[in-house]
Amino acid sequence: MKKIIPFIVVVFLLIQCKKNIPETAQNNKITGFIADSAMVVSAREEASKIGVAIMQKGGNAFDAMIATELALAVAYPFAGNIGGGGFMVYRTSDGKTGALDYREKAPLAASKNMYLDENGNIIEGKSTLGAMAVGVPGTVDGLFKVHQKFGSLPFSELIQPSIDLANKGVVVTEKQAERLAFYKHFFGEVNDTIIVLDADWKAGDTIKYVKLAKTLERIRDFGRDGFYKGETAEMLVNYVQKLGGIITKKDLEIYEAKWRNAIEFTYKDLKIIAMSPPSSGGICNAQIFKAIEPFDIASFGHNSLKSVQLLTEAERRAYADRSYYLGDPDFVTIPIDTLISSTYIQKRMANFSWDKATPSSTLKHGNIVGFESDETTHYSIVDKYGNSISATTTLNGAYGSKVYVSEGGFFLNNEMDDFSSKPGIPNMFGLIGAEANSIAPEKRMLSSMTPTIVEKNNQFYMSVGSPGGSTIITSVLQTILNVYEFKMGMQDAVNAPRFHHQWLPDVVTFEPKGFDSLLVNQLQEKGYQIKQENSVILGKVDAILRLPNGKLEGGADYRGDDKAAGF
Ligand code: GLY
């Protein structure tokens, strides 16, 4: 007995100790890069380091965003861009939140049926490849909007590292060499000149982007007009029109990025701040989180039969609503409050059953009474002042439309494919759209980009986002759940195998090798169609988690060349 008493005391003390340690420290295993106070996680090490260097000079997260986004345009031409667009969600050190929409717009000469032939059928490839696929780019205007509102260092200091990087050159990675080899023939198909990426680039080679450096210098010297007017605009418009496109100088002149309110909702004791329309990400994830909130998903286990079923059924209903209700809020009225209300969502989940799948064919968008894209890139930033940003930027498809403004050294997007060219017919991500997302001049196409910031106890908790077209939304969702419900650290949460469902097609896609055959068989028995053979990776999540001791853990996705940097 004498020996047992000290043992009981020690156990008691250990339990008390554990109670005093914040929840995440008790459970979440930390395997990612750790920084004391500032971090950038992006698709390329060069871009993360450039963003961090700006913060080391005293710049804030918004300065770092501008520098990182421009560096990605140089180091990651696959999706980083000045010829595309994106979305950014922010939370300032004093808890103010907001969102920037620098999404591309349809040109003035665009029309509803521009991708249909005389019989009303979609013309294969017209909205995805070549000059007709290009939307009016928003990235450069977006960066100047950020600088005007939040910048603390001169713009010239933020762009200079990218000019230097473009002149010095960027080393080709294994993954980049593979991608270039795969996509190269499209560059020749679309362009009428040889482009710098046509060469037989191998891993370890250095590519210099001298023409791009000159364009960035014009942006440095003339501001927004260095892209939307003058020499760059002339090059862009002349080349697009030569290739049969419809963008004019007027389109470039009138483009404006827009500040918007973020979509904000709670999930248990989290506050989630996500992108509002014209992105569908915030509303879809609000619907999914609210649909699963009444369940104790943590007790089901990570990627267990019950977790997969619950998430799939919530996703099915959210994506069905997405296809019907969502579009550019400047053109259509979206019943946001109802769509994300618990009452509406619980009604949508009423016919969910653990026994069998709800076939998507039997499920349409919900009725609201009185209702008045895959290769993108994401980066997350936190600064030492306590500001955080989450930004996702894209050309839409890999290298966008493949149209390369050779004189200016940059690709143009194929974002027009994110409109619904013909209601009921899927786009390149298999997403079906309706009237709300039909084409009109100056309208923005619906997006799935989901830059997201999460707050816990009124403090910054996580910044997260991903590329992956329609799979972005579910990748972000699962990453947040992995940390919060399944007690993973940030890097492990990013690494964990992911799955995806989007209403139509009625299949659940699993990442290869991440799920065992027992789970797949159990789901199939309940009527779920599973795609695992030949399935692709789902998302490349770049995220930052604030640890209980105030340090930051980065989650840089191993699926790409992504990297965290910080101090
Ligand atoms: N282009 C991909 C997206 O906006 O969702």
Side-chain angles (χ1 to χ4, degrees):
M1 191 62 192
K2 266 190 188 160
K3 279 187 183 159
I4 285 180
I5 289 172
F7 174 73
I8 292 172
V9 170
V10 168
V11 169
F12 175 77
L13 287 176
L14 280 174
I15 291 170
Q16 288 309 306
C17 245
K18 213 170 168 207
K19 272 190 193 157
N20 293 333
I21 299 172
E23 186 186 70
T24 44
Q26 285 177 36
N27 302 298
N28 301 45
K29 195 165 111 239
I30 308 304
T31 60
F33 174 80
I34 302 290
D36 285 339
S37 58
M39 188 180 283
V40 180
V41 190
S42 84
R44 285 289 303 229
E45 185 169 12
E46 294 85 342
S48 298
K49 283 187 167 166
I50 282 176
V52 166
I54 290 296
M55 293 195 283
Q56 266 160 339
K57 276 173 83 172
N60 61 27
F62 300 95
D63 295 318
M65 179 220 162
I66 295 165
T68 305
E69 176 109 11
L70 289 164
L72 284 168
V74 178
Y76 193 57
F78 186 66
N81 67 82
I82 52 173
F87 297 104
M88 183 266 276
V89 169
Y90 69 84
R91 180 183 183 279
T92 59
S93 51
D94 56 357
K96 291 202 181 69
T97 60
L100 181 69
D101 164 4
Y102 52 106
R103 182 72 160 165
E104 299 91 328
K105 285 179 135 188
L108 288 163
S111 55
K112 189 170 172 178
N113 296 330
M114 63 190 275
Y115 298 117
L116 305 185
D117 64 17
E118 60 278 13
N119 300 318
N121 297 318
I122 295 221
I123 302 167
E124 195 69 33
K126 198 172 175 186
S127 66
T128 53
L129 198 63
M132 279 299 284
V134 182
V136 183
T139 298
V140 174
D141 193 69
L143 297 183
F144 279 99
K145 287 274 187 308
V146 172
H147 192 250
Q148 250 167 24
K149 192 169 166 124
F150 292 113
S152 73
L153 298 179
F155 195 91
S156 57
E157 281 184 36
L158 307 178
I159 197 169
Q160 194 58 44
S162 295
I163 297 172
D164 298 341
L165 180 66
N167 280 322
K168 186 172 127 240
V170 183
V171 178
V172 177
T173 65
E174 292 282 352
K175 288 184 174 125
Q176 187 182 11
E178 277 167 29
R179 282 194 299 264
L180 283 172
F182 182 82
Y183 286 104
K184 210 164 76 172
H185 74 278
F186 289 114
F187 304 152
E189 207 177 295
V190 164
N191 293 286
D192 67 355
T193 53
I194 300 287
I195 73 168
V196 65
L197 293 175
D198 276 328
D200 194 13
W201 295 110
K202 299 269 181 290
D205 291 347
T206 298
I207 310 181
K208 293 187 179 184
Y209 299 95
V210 181
K211 295 275 176 61
L212 178 56
K214 289 269 170 267
T215 299
L216 296 177
E217 281 174 10
R218 285 190 292 278
I219 296 170
R220 178 195 63 195
D221 298 341
F222 303 110
R224 180 200 180 278
D225 290 354
F227 184 82
Y228 292 94
K229 287 184 181 169
E231 215 178 318
T232 314
E234 191 103 0
M235 288 170 183
L236 191 162
V237 168
N238 288 348
Y239 192 52
V240 164
Q241 291 187 357
K242 190 172 168 205
L243 298 185
I246 55 173
I247 290 185
T248 61
K249 284 190 192 163
K250 176 102 186 145
D251 282 313
L252 293 177
E253 262 174 53
I254 63 175
Y255 179 87
E256 279 224 62
K258 265 191 141 164
W259 291 106
R260 299 195 187 270
N261 293 328
I263 295 284
E264 299 193 350
F265 58 96
T266 55
Y267 172 73
K268 300 183 180 173
D269 65 342
L270 299 181
K271 178 171 153 197
I272 299 181
I273 303 145
M275 192 61 219
S276 43
S279 180
S280 58
I283 291 182
C284 278
N285 262 346
Q287 290 197 311
I288 300 168
F289 273 109
K290 286 281 170 209
I292 67 170
E293 194 171 29
F295 299 87
D296 182 11
I297 192 169
S299 71
F300 301 160
H302 177 247
N303 283 350
S304 64
L305 176 63
K306 285 184 90 171
S307 292
V308 173
Q309 256 192 292
L310 177 62
L311 285 170
T312 300
E313 294 300 339
E315 287 164 7
R316 192 191 306 279
R317 287 153 179 83
Y319 277 83
D321 277 356
R322 176 199 194 277
S323 77
Y324 185 77
Y325 288 109
L326 304 192
D328 182 346
D330 297 342
F331 283 72
V332 292
T333 309
I334 303 171
I336 296 180
D337 291 344
T338 309
L339 283 171
I340 67 174
S341 75
S342 298
T343 320
Y344 170 75
I345 292 161
Q346 292 323 316
K347 237 192 267 167
R348 291 283 281 156
M349 287 296 280
N351 61 352
F352 159 62
S353 154
W354 291 114
D355 299 334
K356 65 180 183 40
T358 312
S360 288
S361 56
T362 64
L363 189 102
K364 299 278 174 282
H365 61 86
N367 286 323
I368 290 180
V369 183
F371 166 51
E372 355 151 357
S373 163
D374 81 314
E375 290 311 342
T376 295
T377 189
H378 175 83
Y379 55 95
S380 292
I381 304 181
V382 173
D383 68 20
K384 64 181 177 192
Y385 310 109
N387 302 299
S388 49
I389 72 117
S390 178
T392 314
T393 182
T394 190
L395 290 164
N396 194 22
Y399 307 101
S401 62
K402 320 306 188 260
V403 173
Y404 189 76
V405 183
S406 215
E407 279 184 89
F410 57 93
F411 280 108
L412 291 170
N413 68 83
N414 61 345
E415 219 71 62
M416 291 296 284
D417 189 59
D418 273 347
F419 277 117
S420 131
S421 296
K422 184 177 177 181
I425 303 293
N427 74 355
M428 63 184 271
F429 301 117
L431 288 168
I432 307 240
E435 203 48 46
N437 189 32
S438 62
I439 306 171
E442 287 202 83
K443 191 173 175 183
R444 289 176 159 99
M445 52 299 277
L446 185 61
S447 170
S448 297
M449 289 190 274
T450 314
T452 301
I453 290 175
V454 185
E455 249 181 43
K456 195 175 175 190
N457 304 327
N458 297 320
Q459 279 193 321
F460 167 81
Y461 182 50
M462 212 185 302
S463 169
V464 54
S466 178
S470 53
T471 71
I472 293 174
I473 298 168
T474 54
S475 297
V476 169
L477 166 86
Q478 288 168 79
T479 306
I480 297 171
L481 291 174
N482 287 349
V483 173
Y484 181 71
E485 295 283 14
F486 302 116
K487 307 296 174 214
M488 297 180 201
M490 193 73 263
Q491 187 62 56
D492 287 356
V494 167
N495 292 350
R498 296 192 273 264
F499 64 95
H500 171 74
H501 178 67
Q502 59 175 49
W503 178 50
L504 293 173
D506 193 351
V507 288
V508 188
T509 306
F510 288 104
E511 283 193 309
K513 301 193 189 110
F515 297 82
D516 65 36
S517 52
L518 176 67
L519 173 72
V520 172
N521 291 344
Q522 286 172 322
L523 286 164
Q524 280 167 333
E525 272 165 25
K526 288 178 185 289
Y528 291 93
Q529 291 184 50
I530 307 295
K531 184 176 165 203
Q532 195 171 23
E533 295 291 306
N534 303 324
S535 65
V536 290
I537 62 163
L538 298 173
K540 283 184 211 139
V541 176
D542 283 339
I544 301 174
L545 174 69
R546 186 175 182 278
L547 300 172
N549 62 7
K551 294 193 185 206
L552 304 168
E553 186 197 357
D557 208 319
Y558 76 93
R559 296 161 179 87
D561 294 315
D562 305 41
K563 198 84 180 170
F567 59 88

